[in-house]
Amino acid sequence: MDVTAIIEPLNDAQREAVTAPSRPTLVLAGAGSGKTRVLVHRIAWLIQVEGLSPQRLLAVTFTNKAAAEMRQRIEALLGFPTQHFWIGTFHGLAHRLLRIHCAEAGLPEGFQIMDSEDQARLIRRLLKSLEIDENECAPKEVQWFINAQKDEGRRPPNVDDEGNAGRRQLIDLYARYEKVCADSGLVDFGELLLRATELLVRNDDIRAQYQNRFQHILVDEFQDTNAIQYEWLKLLAGSTSVPFVVGDDDQSIYRWRGARVENLHRFQKDFPGAAVVRLEQNYRSTETILAAANAVISNNSERLGKNLWTAGDTGELIKLYAAFNERDEAEFVVNRIVDNVEGGMRRSELAVLYRSNAQSRIFEEALLIAGIPYRVYGGMRFFERAEIKDALAYLRLIANRDDDPSFDRIVNVPTRGIGSRTIEAVREQARQAGTSLWRAAATVITEGRLAKRSSGALWSFLKLIDRLDEDTRGLGLDEQVKHVVHASGLIAHYGRDKLAGESRVENLQELVSAGQGFVPDEESELTPLIEFLSYAVLESGDMQAEAYEDSVQLMTLHSAKGLEFPVVFVCGLEDGLFPHQRSATDAAGLEEERRLCYVGLTRARKQVYLTYAEQRRLYGTDNYGTPSRFIREIPEELLEEVRPSLAVSRPVYRRGAIDRTEPGGIKLGQRVRHGKFGEGVVLNSEGSGAHARVQVNFERTGTKWLVLAYAKLELM
């Protein structure tokens, strides 16, 4: 193979990295700078130019997709297959090592790997066998604790209880869990890395064998490595192998799952004299976008430092929109999406990014109204999330005791000691009598067919639903929802999930906001709750595009890493939301939030829209936030403020000026008449176009929100 074919497609910095001498090398690869190309061409260089046998190198990635892409590109460049190369994910390569040395690793030859669900089921069985109430010790919390300890390389005897009784119980459960796994020949994902590391630590001959074998170790996304992954790599490298790691400290955004950005700094200490190569030329974004991203990330103090640049176009200014509230924000985004699609862009080329999963609801609603297909990337639509479906099931059962699917879903959620035998007895009674599960449950209790404990647990559930019904009568829809998600125990239940608990609780709180913003049909005779439940069903079953369809992409900023789009909307840029409130006083957390903003900006190729709301109803609370500090960190000359265009005239206070739009429209403070509610005064407004709403204080019926397109208000 001609050497020029390996280095000709590369820029100067990429060539420096690919042809680096055989010594430890850290490649700081900025967003869109061609890091995968460097890794692939480095492997080709080692094999074709330096004569390295493919069996003498190890290449590590974080996902199977990335590993497959690396293999394909190497095969295309070298012209021969790579099935015997040691290229794979951390877990995949550790598994391969353990299969070869299962006896030395203390594993049976036919050991089996558990996925996350299998692990959770095993933990539930363990808790049940110990008669530990899942309400007091949630399986998800135990699972998170065990995995977190393994990621740090700690076995039960090495975990400090910190003088905490709850932590002592978790350590004990960790030890018992390990025994069950050992007796059953099972390993979880965390065990693969921990066991493979221990194998190298305890077996000098095996460690020496692989240190001698793997002369070159290449690692992708090095900034995302956790403690045990770094330790494993360090052991494999020893003092003879040449590590070549590629990463970007400015894109380290997974601290919450154990990633340690400091491993990039540690690498230079553990491998003295390591070369550092910076890949700063970006092939994705415009000069304007990169200037904004550089300006934001420069405010982080703990970084190795680089400055992205491009030989491409300057591009358009970054558009900044100050919305009145979250509905106005969503409508602005959807209107810009329509403009871009009408201009010839595919819907899949547009991405809406947000900090919290709960923010997706309002965008989903706006896209549904506009008839635009969308896809929630890397997650479920709002009304399809488990915690939301649980809350809706409580509300449905309150509204209709004969709703069997809802009864079945929540009878033991949160867990309350109602086992499968009890539920089957209820189902059998329902089948025989031809009644609902609710009525059947009452029958099996009154006829004494259950054990005392089971009967008591089932009776408590029935009484809970009755009490929720009684307590929420006469309350507004949002207050009904708020009371149910708390009094049912769902908030506490999902809050115990250490990994995703915060997001799930935020989603439940956002359901309260959905209730607050819901406008019932004025002509309907149904209760607001029944209407809302119907709306939720319709929302969850329509317009969700399949992965292959041309659809707008909705996703969290975390999910967006590694992706790119011509047009990106970064939404909800208010202090307390983004950066998140929990990071306000945490220096390390704030720096990670800033890296997340950097990731969001650098997803865009041509255009970035930044939006924030002056008022936002989120998690069931009205917030009057200030624009995110990340907006203030972008130089003004890179920003273009976009002014709203409203069907409702209202003052907009911005930089000392008062702007009014459409002077012929309805104004705040104006008296109006409604055919059903009579006369009133306009107090507030939100949104624009056909979906604009006004808040009117009617003399006879009090304050109501009305959609202008349907209200038929008469000006007084």
Side-chain angles (χ1 to χ4, degrees):
M1 181 182 182
D2 189 353
V3 173
T4 58
I6 298 177
I7 63 173
E8 188 176 21
L10 309 176
N11 64 35
D12 290 346
Q14 290 171 342
R15 289 180 184 181
E16 181 185 354
V18 166
T19 63
S22 292
R23 63 169 177 166
T25 302
L26 168 59
V27 180
L28 287 176
S33 63
K35 68 178 180 61
T36 304
R37 168 178 283 191
V38 164
L39 282 165
V40 167
H41 284 250
R42 173 67 172 177
I43 291 171
W45 176 269
L46 292 172
I47 294 172
Q48 292 291 348
V49 178
E50 301 203 4
L52 183 75
S53 165
Q55 295 299 313
R56 306 302 296 273
L57 65 84
L58 177 79
V60 191
T61 68
F62 267 83
T63 67
N64 290 316
K65 180 181 177 182
E69 180 186 355
M70 185 179 291
R71 284 182 178 277
Q72 291 167 3
R73 291 173 68 167
I74 291 171
E75 288 178 1
L77 192 58
L78 294 178
F80 55 80
T82 62
Q83 67 263 33
H84 299 302
F85 286 31
W86 278 65
I87 298 175
T89 64
F90 278 98
H91 293 112
L93 293 171
H95 173 236
R96 186 171 177 178
L97 195 65
L98 292 175
R99 287 294 180 194
I100 296 172
H101 302 285
C102 57
E104 295 91 337
L107 291 171
E109 186 175 347
F111 72 87
Q112 296 296 310
I113 304 173
M114 295 182 291
D115 62 17
S116 183
E117 287 188 14
D118 293 334
Q119 184 189 29
R121 278 194 291 270
L122 189 151
I123 291 170
R124 286 194 186 93
R125 290 198 300 271
L126 175 63
L127 292 175
K128 187 174 182 180
S129 70
L130 297 171
E131 298 185 346
I132 295 176
D133 189 344
E134 291 188 14
N135 283 317
E136 297 176 4
C137 188
K140 283 286 188 181
E141 182 179 1
V142 179
Q143 184 177 21
W144 177 87
F145 179 83
I146 291 171
N147 292 340
Q149 301 313 313
K150 290 189 177 186
D151 285 347
E152 293 296 320
R154 293 193 287 257
R155 293 293 185 188
N158 309 118
V159 182
D160 184 3
D161 65 15
E162 300 173 0
N164 183 289
R167 191 171 171 87
R168 274 196 298 275
Q169 182 186 42
L170 289 170
I171 295 169
D172 178 64
L173 288 170
Y174 180 14
R176 292 175 184 271
Y177 166 85
E178 283 210 320
K179 185 176 187 310
V180 172
C181 289
D183 291 345
S184 306
L186 297 171
V187 298
D188 54 45
F189 285 138
E191 184 70 17
L192 290 172
L193 261 298
L194 179 54
R195 185 77 62 136
T197 301
E198 292 171 342
L199 172 70
L200 298 177
V201 169
R202 296 169 181 171
N203 294 269
D204 295 344
D205 291 343
I206 293 177
R207 183 173 67 253
Q209 174 188 338
Y210 285 97
Q211 287 175 348
N212 292 330
R213 174 175 182 167
F214 296 131
Q215 294 181 352
H216 289 265
I217 298 175
L218 301 95
V219 188
D220 191 12
E221 303 286 9
F222 190 70
Q223 77 281 350
D224 292 335
T225 53
N226 61 28
I228 196 67
Q229 289 164 343
Y230 183 89
E231 189 62 28
W232 183 64
L233 290 169
K234 186 181 172 186
L235 283 166
L236 280 173
S239 59
T240 56
S241 297
V242 179
F244 182 94
V245 302
V246 181
D248 184 2
D249 55 336
D250 293 333
Q251 294 189 78
S252 180
I253 58 173
Y254 298 121
R255 186 172 68 128
W256 49 276
R257 69 183 189 197
R260 292 187 171 185
V261 66
E262 57 267 27
N263 283 347
L264 284 164
H265 299 270
R266 185 180 169 189
F267 179 83
Q268 293 177 287
K269 294 178 181 177
D270 289 341
F271 297 93
V276 178
V277 181
R278 288 173 169 81
L279 304 184
E280 298 175 303
Q281 183 173 1
N282 177 281
Y283 292 92
R284 177 189 301 154
S285 306
T286 65
E287 183 182 322
T288 298
I289 293 170
L290 296 180
N294 287 331
V296 170
I297 201 64
S298 67
N299 289 276
N300 274 3
S301 59
E302 298 296 324
R303 59 190 295 260
L304 295 170
K306 62 183 176 308
N307 200 60
L308 295 181
W309 62 276
T310 180
D313 297 337
T314 301
E316 296 186 47
L317 293 176
I318 291 172
K319 303 295 192 295
L320 175 64
Y321 182 68
F324 300 132
N325 54 33
E326 74 280 1
R327 291 184 178 276
D328 183 31
E329 177 185 51
E331 187 160 336
F332 168 79
V333 170
V334 171
N335 286 339
R336 297 293 77 73
I337 287 172
V338 170
D339 291 344
N340 279 283
V341 171
E342 289 179 349
M345 190 169 285
R346 290 174 57 83
R347 289 185 287 265
S348 58
E349 295 180 309
L350 300 126
V352 182
L353 313 184
Y354 36 79
R355 178 62 181 84
S356 167
N357 267 312
Q359 289 172 258
S360 79
R361 180 189 66 83
I362 203 72
F363 293 107
E364 292 184 50
E365 182 180 293
L367 288 164
L368 282 168
I369 292 172
I372 299 174
Y374 67 90
R375 179 184 175 216
V376 179
Y377 183 92
M380 293 183 176
R381 303 178 68 201
F382 183 80
F383 284 107
E384 292 175 347
R385 292 166 186 156
E387 60 274 18
I388 298 303
K389 294 180 79 170
D390 288 343
L392 292 173
Y394 271 99
L395 292 166
R396 289 194 181 97
L397 202 57
I398 289 169
N400 174 19
R401 301 295 199 280
D402 295 330
D403 185 334
D404 282 356
S406 294
F407 181 99
D408 205 35
R409 182 179 183 90
I410 60 170
V411 65
N412 201 39
V413 178
T415 50
R416 47 177 62 90
I418 300 175
S420 57
R421 291 184 181 179
T422 300
I423 295 172
E424 187 52 42
V426 173
R427 288 176 182 150
E428 182 59 30
Q429 169 62 25
R431 283 192 291 267
Q432 291 179 0
T435 62
S436 67
L437 294 175
W438 177 274
R439 297 173 192 273
T443 299
V444 298
I445 291 171
T446 55
E447 294 184 359
R449 299 191 202 172
L450 302 174
K452 185 176 180 180
R453 183 175 178 179
S454 300
S455 179
L458 188 58
W459 179 248
S460 294
F461 171 68
L462 300 185
K463 295 302 292 180
L464 170 64
I465 299 300
D466 285 338
R467 186 168 64 253
L468 291 175
D469 186 5
E470 183 178 342
D471 291 347
T472 55
R473 287 178 189 171
L475 296 180
L477 177 59
D478 59 310
E479 290 297 325
Q480 286 182 293
V481 178
K482 184 176 183 178
H483 182 79
V484 167
V485 297
H486 281 88
S488 64
L490 289 177
I491 291 282
H493 170 67
Y494 280 111
R496 285 191 288 269
D497 182 346
K498 294 292 185 182
L499 191 59
E502 181 179 56
S503 176
R504 290 185 159 193
V505 168
E506 287 177 347
N507 287 337
L508 287 169
Q509 292 170 335
E510 179 60 13
L511 187 63
V512 179
S513 292
Q516 287 176 321
F518 180 69
V519 182
D521 185 349
E522 297 169 14
E523 308 283 328
S524 175
E525 296 181 358
L526 299 174
T527 66
L529 176 58
I530 297 296
E531 273 201 72
F532 178 69
L533 292 171
S534 299
Y535 155 78
V537 173
L538 293 172
E539 277 259 305
S540 66
D542 195 17
M543 294 299 292
Q544 170 71 0
E546 298 295 333
Y548 56 83
E549 288 188 82
D550 182 23
S551 55
V552 174
Q553 306 294 296
L554 306 183
M555 66 192 73
T556 64
L557 285 147
H558 283 100
S559 297
K561 186 172 178 290
L563 304 176
E564 60 181 75
F565 306 89
V567 178
V568 166
F569 299 85
V570 182
C571 304
L573 276 156
E574 299 123 47
D575 278 344
L577 179 57
F578 187 33
H580 199 280
Q581 58 186 1
R582 69 166 176 264
S583 302
T585 58
D586 176 13
L590 182 58
E591 293 216 345
E592 179 154 298
E593 292 284 302
R594 188 173 282 113
R595 293 195 290 268
L596 198 55
C597 182
Y598 174 85
V599 166
L601 291 170
T602 54
R603 296 313 92 197
R605 295 205 295 264
K606 297 179 180 178
Q607 181 68 71
V608 172
Y609 288 88
L610 305 178
T611 67
Y612 68 93
E614 296 168 353
Q615 173 188 343
R616 182 179 299 276
R617 183 178 296 155
L618 189 65
Y619 316 143
T621 304
D622 285 327
N623 299 285
Y624 298 86
T626 58
S628 170
R629 68 195 70 191
F630 301 151
I631 294 176
R632 300 193 295 272
E633 291 170 358
I634 298 175
E636 284 192 13
E637 62 269 20
L638 300 178
L639 295 171
E640 177 186 344
E641 289 196 57
V642 181
R643 298 289 183 174
S645 177
L646 298 182
V648 179
S649 189
R650 61 166 288 173
V652 181
Y653 297 91
R654 194 177 289 114
R655 296 190 177 178
I658 298 179
D659 298 331
R660 291 184 180 273
T661 61
E662 298 197 18
I666 295 175
K667 295 180 173 61
L668 301 185
Q670 188 164 19
R671 290 188 64 80
V672 294
R673 180 186 289 116
H674 185 271
K676 180 178 179 181
F677 304 126
E679 295 183 9
V681 177
V682 178
L683 300 180
N684 202 353
S685 64
E686 62 178 29
S688 61
H691 308 297
R693 303 195 310 160
V694 290
Q695 185 185 41
V696 182
N697 184 16
F698 292 104
E699 295 174 357
R700 297 199 311 266
T701 56
T703 302
K704 295 185 180 298
W705 279 97
L706 304 173
V707 179
L708 274 181
Y710 310 112
K712 299 178 182 178
L713 293 174
E714 177 186 349
L715 302 181
M716 299 292 291

